[in-house]
Amino acid sequence: MTGQPNYPGFLVFDVTNLEIDEPQPPIELTEEILDLTEPFSLTVTFRGTGMFWNALVNMFDPQYEACFYLEGRGQQAAESDLGCATGNVAAASVGGGNYEATHQVNGIQQKGLYKVGVTVEFPGLWGLLGHYDDLMIQVSRHESPTPPN
């Protein structure tokens, strides 16, 4: 989702994707369904382009801070901060002006439906901020269906 600022050719910052990865998802279910307390990781992809962005990265290698959160949907699904991933932009590069940051989460304690989001900002660089909040997950007591008797 378009971040700020957005001046094509000079400085454009976008947070383009947010993915969840659980260590061993059951074959029949997607990774967007988790067991209670099951550990998982979240990976955010962000992109910077333009003359000013290139100068920032090449001369200063700024530090990013990607903070992840949950917004509960429905009864008993609470909001929660999941923590932050930090690092230097150059080390997060995956090529082509794209960068990734991954954060490990120990699990979610309450079943429910959640919208997962992330903000990416750069401490010390006022006004450079982006977010992504288009990932829905379900947390259930038993992710794997119980086979019939």
Side-chain angles (χ1 to χ4, degrees):
M1 297 184 176
T2 303
Q4 296 182 60
N6 188 1
Y7 300 109
F10 184 68
L11 175 61
V12 175
F13 179 68
D14 292 320
V15 180
T16 58
N17 197 28
L18 177 59
E19 294 181 349
I20 188 169
D21 183 44
E22 58 180 312
Q24 297 179 343
I27 294 171
E28 69 277 3
L29 297 176
T30 69
E31 291 186 338
E32 286 83 22
I33 302 174
L34 302 169
D35 279 333
L36 279 173
T37 71
E38 177 182 18
F40 61 94
S41 63
L42 293 166
T43 299
V44 61
T45 304
F46 54 96
R47 179 173 179 74
T49 60
M51 184 175 53
F52 187 69
W53 175 264
N54 293 334
L56 273 174
V57 173
N58 293 329
M59 294 191 313
F60 301 107
D61 190 17
Q63 187 174 50
Y64 67 84
E65 182 177 68
C67 294
F68 301 85
Y69 58 90
L70 295 175
E71 293 180 353
R73 300 287 192 250
Q75 185 177 3
Q76 298 178 355
E79 294 185 0
S80 178
D81 291 331
L82 298 175
C84 299
T86 59
N88 288 67
V89 171
S93 178
V94 292
N98 294 304
Y99 305 86
E100 288 184 351
T102 300
H103 178 65
Q104 302 297 319
V105 179
N106 289 330
I108 299 170
Q109 306 301 316
Q110 182 64 43
K111 71 180 183 99
L113 182 64
Y114 296 90
K115 187 175 193 177
V116 185
V118 61
T119 60
V120 180
E121 61 184 318
F122 301 83
L125 296 175
W126 181 84
L128 191 55
L129 171 72
H131 77 284
Y132 193 95
D133 63 356
D134 198 22
L135 175 63
M136 297 293 291
I137 63 170
Q138 176 187 345
V139 179
S140 66
R141 287 193 178 97
H142 300 288
E143 173 184 10
S144 304
T146 305
N149 290 335

